Amino acid sequence: MSSETETQPDVAQDGHHGERRDTLTVTDNRTGKQYDVEIDDGTVRSIDFRQIKVSDDDFGLMTYDPAYLNTASCRSAITFLDGEAGVLEYRGYPIEQLAENSSYLEVAYLLVHGDLPTQAELDEWTHQVTIHTFVHENVKSFMQGFRHDAHPMGMLLGSVGALSTFYPDANEIDDPENRYIQTIRLIAKMPTLAAFAFRHSNGQPYVYPDNDLWYPGNFLNMLYKMTELKYEPDPRLERALDILFILHADHEQNCSTSAVRQVGSSRVDPYSAVAAGVGALYGPLHGGANEAVLRMLHRIERKENIPDFVAGVKEGKERLMGFGHRVYKNYDPRARIIKQAADDVFEVTGKNPLLDIALELERIALEDDYFIERKLYPNVDFYSGLIYEALGMPVSMFPVMFAIPRTSGWIAQWLEMVQDKEQKIARPRQIYTGQRGREYVPVGQRG
Ligand code: SDX
């Protein structure tokens, strides 16, 4: 809490405190009153400013922060980012170590539980996910209802939300066992829903999960199995996909995770909250950026067109998709790892010709003052699409590839939010700019 101070704070003549206090002393020049506001973990509580009033019937001060540029919405122990240094850690483990040594399912366990699993815990977790990969048969007829050219992300959005109707007990969010089985189901079923959307787009029969296969391999199986009795994924592609899934698993309070937390704060079931996350990730400024990057590279088409494109960016006519980040003002550590994974995939699939354009675009941008001044570096979306395209996916599947692994981050953040005693239904205020007290005029008398 904080308090209103009538007297001057104990600031010595040389401007130094008598004793150092973690508080902010605020003077309201409208009234001359001073207020001490506590500083906690590098933040001040917005509600502490409500006491600053000019009269007893004054509502008090609010803080105004469109797009939450400088607002912490929660306390979280899941993911740590240092944007200036380009550091990303899941539960304290550097992303570089996890990408090199771990697997996506092990990382999903880490995000949800907070620690790396023992072998027995990992085996049980993997078993639970594996036996929950099937979806209700009605989901297939639901999927058939989409147009042949429906965007897979729209199909995923609809089908994830629809899962809440198959598990009506999922809204018992105070029951730990219930929360756990919904966690398992969401992580397990996202690849199945994604693959069904892909097969629907291609007019191909849906492929059921093969529980003998590893998580990424099973996803490739559901995407690409045709008439062979058993699909055998290339282990190099499986490993590359697993690394991509690790890199995309969580990223603290990004737009889609904030959407999951906000919607989840109404105590709705986790399927509906995750569907909100899918909707937010769909946007071209967020998870849809990997799709926008490929469309941009195809439009550039040749290296010699890059200078004109970059000029268009500087004139504000274009946006360099896959560059820039709200937090990273340095190279996104995930982009660096993805760039390495791309080489492994291209060994199998052959190099994506757009890679040379992407590398040249990055080289030019990193030397250009416009981008340097704005601290615009490649982010996670700049290179990932090149891999997905090399794997034979249409660009419309790229945001879906982001949503699959991000599900473990979304559900980990949802679990943390529903158990956080500080949290309640999220309901921001506003600055009202409209008119007041207008008299209703019958339609016949309106000008
Ligand atoms: C993801 O939040 C997360 O963690 C997200 C994510 C995750 O894992 O969840 O990391 C995943 O969404 C990565 C970002 C993918 N999006 C893109 O690649 C789209 C292109 N990037 C931008 O639109 C932009 O950089 C954002 C949206 C990522 C960040 O936007 P900000 O922080 O709101 O920055 P801004 O739009 O205010 O830009 C600041 C300046 C502006 O210039 P001025 O108007 O001040 O002159 O930088 C310019 C912008 O015009 N700018 C760009 C640019 N990004 C910012 N100019 C050209 N190309 C760009 N990509």
Side-chain angles (χ1 to χ4, degrees):
M1 272 307 286
S2 62
S3 59
E4 180 183 320
T5 50
E6 290 301 340
T7 55
Q8 285 294 332
D10 56 344
V11 179
Q13 289 315 314
D14 62 3
H16 291 292
H17 286 274
E19 97 279 351
R20 196 167 162 64
R21 294 174 297 147
D22 283 347
T23 60
L24 198 62
T25 298
V26 178
T27 300
D28 182 351
N29 293 319
R30 302 171 298 176
T31 62
K33 289 182 181 173
Q34 288 196 331
Y35 303 83
D36 274 351
V37 179
E38 278 183 23
I39 298 171
D40 190 15
D41 290 329
T43 66
V44 291
R45 283 179 174 271
S46 180
I47 198 69
D48 284 352
F49 289 81
R50 281 284 293 283
Q51 64 178 313
I52 302 177
K53 304 180 178 199
V54 293
S55 61
D56 290 344
D57 62 354
D58 182 354
F59 179 79
L61 288 189
M62 291 194 291
T63 53
Y64 177 51
D65 188 10
Y68 308 122
L69 282 165
N70 191 42
T71 292
S73 62
C74 63
R75 292 175 183 277
S76 178
I78 297 173
T79 292
F80 173 79
L81 298 186
D82 178 334
E84 291 303 328
V87 170
L88 167 57
E89 295 173 354
Y90 292 160
R91 298 287 188 178
Y93 293 94
I95 192 67
E96 295 80 3
Q97 291 185 30
L98 293 171
E100 185 173 347
N101 303 301
S102 190
S103 67
Y104 168 68
L105 278 191
E106 182 176 78
V107 164
Y109 181 99
L110 172 66
L111 290 170
V112 167
H113 293 87
D115 294 305
L116 287 171
T118 62
Q119 189 58 59
E121 288 165 339
L122 181 59
D123 292 346
E124 174 58 16
W125 174 257
T126 303
H127 171 71
Q128 287 301 325
V129 170
T130 302
I131 64 173
H132 285 93
T133 49
F134 276 70
V135 292
H136 192 290
E137 276 293 279
N138 286 11
V139 170
K140 284 167 58 177
S141 39
F142 176 84
M143 277 277 183
Q144 292 299 351
F146 287 108
R147 280 171 51 107
H148 69 91
D149 57 355
H151 195 293
M153 199 63 169
M155 289 194 260
L156 186 68
L157 175 58
S159 43
V160 169
L163 282 187
S164 66
T165 66
F166 291 92
Y167 306 107
D169 62 344
N171 55 23
E172 292 166 22
I173 63 174
D174 294 327
D175 173 358
E177 285 184 18
N178 195 299
R179 291 199 298 262
Y180 183 76
I181 186 58
Q182 312 312 343
T183 296
I184 290 285
R185 283 173 174 152
L186 271 160
I187 293 171
K189 298 178 192 302
M190 279 305 250
T192 309
L193 296 177
F196 279 16
F198 174 74
R199 300 288 286 202
H200 175 80
S201 302
N202 293 350
Q204 292 169 325
Y206 299 150
V207 175
Y208 287 115
D210 177 344
N211 289 351
D212 294 338
L213 295 175
W214 191 31
Y215 192 88
N218 179 38
F219 180 56
L220 291 169
N221 158 61
M222 294 188 287
L223 287 178
Y224 296 125
K225 183 176 182 297
M226 297 307 284
T227 58
E228 65 273 37
L229 287 177
K230 194 156 182 72
Y231 181 84
E232 293 181 12
D234 184 307
R236 292 167 295 180
L237 298 185
E238 272 190 290
R239 180 60 190 147
L241 207 47
D242 206 43
I243 290 170
L244 282 165
F245 283 175
I246 290 170
L247 297 174
H248 285 83
D250 192 58
H251 215 240
E252 58 132 278
Q253 305 312 314
N254 58 83
C255 179
S256 55
T257 298
S258 301
V260 170
R261 280 179 169 262
Q262 169 106 10
V263 169
S265 73
S266 72
R267 294 179 60 81
V268 76
D269 67 272
Y271 300 97
S272 304
V274 166
V278 175
L281 193 69
Y282 197 174
L285 294 187
H286 192 11
N290 53 22
E291 175 179 354
V293 167
L294 258 289
R295 296 187 193 281
M296 172 186 76
L297 293 175
H298 279 293
R299 251 185 328 114
I300 293 171
E301 198 179 1
R302 289 190 302 277
K303 275 188 185 181
E304 46 271 30
N305 296 334
I306 292 176
D308 284 349
F309 177 80
V310 170
V313 172
K314 294 183 194 177
E315 291 156 17
K317 294 175 188 159
E318 297 278 1
R319 184 150 277 224
L320 183 50
M321 302 311 278
F323 266 66
H325 199 277
R326 175 63 57 76
V327 176
Y328 288 127
K329 301 309 173 191
N330 198 319
Y331 210 101
D332 184 330
R334 301 167 296 176
R336 189 174 289 115
I337 300 169
I338 288 175
K339 212 165 144 184
Q340 294 161 0
D343 296 339
D344 301 338
V345 170
F346 297 154
E347 261 183 33
V348 180
T349 63
K351 192 170 86 168
N352 187 325
L354 292 175
L355 176 64
D356 291 335
I357 297 177
L359 290 169
E360 178 64 5
L361 187 53
E362 174 187 349
R363 185 191 66 76
I364 291 175
L366 293 185
E367 292 172 358
D368 188 298
D369 287 344
Y370 178 91
F371 299 95
I372 295 167
E373 284 158 16
R374 290 166 177 78
K375 298 189 176 183
L376 299 178
Y377 293 89
N379 59 47
V380 68
D381 291 307
F382 189 60
Y383 285 104
S384 54
L386 291 171
I387 296 178
Y388 300 144
E389 184 172 71
L391 289 174
M393 288 176 206
V395 287
S396 56
M397 272 294 285
F398 294 3
V400 173
M401 296 302 290
F402 198 144
I404 293 171
R406 186 51 58 91
T407 299
S408 56
W410 286 333
I411 199 72
Q413 297 272 352
W414 175 80
L415 288 166
E416 187 175 66
M417 183 273 297
V418 296
Q419 298 172 80
D420 183 342
K421 298 282 180 282
E422 268 201 311
Q423 295 294 337
K424 51 173 59 178
I425 187 166
R427 201 266 184 230
R429 308 306 296 262
Q430 64 173 13
I431 297 171
Y432 180 65
T433 59
Q435 300 178 64
R436 298 288 316 280
R438 304 172 72 183
E439 288 296 320
Y440 183 80
V441 177
V443 65
Q445 297 171 28
R446 294 171 200 160

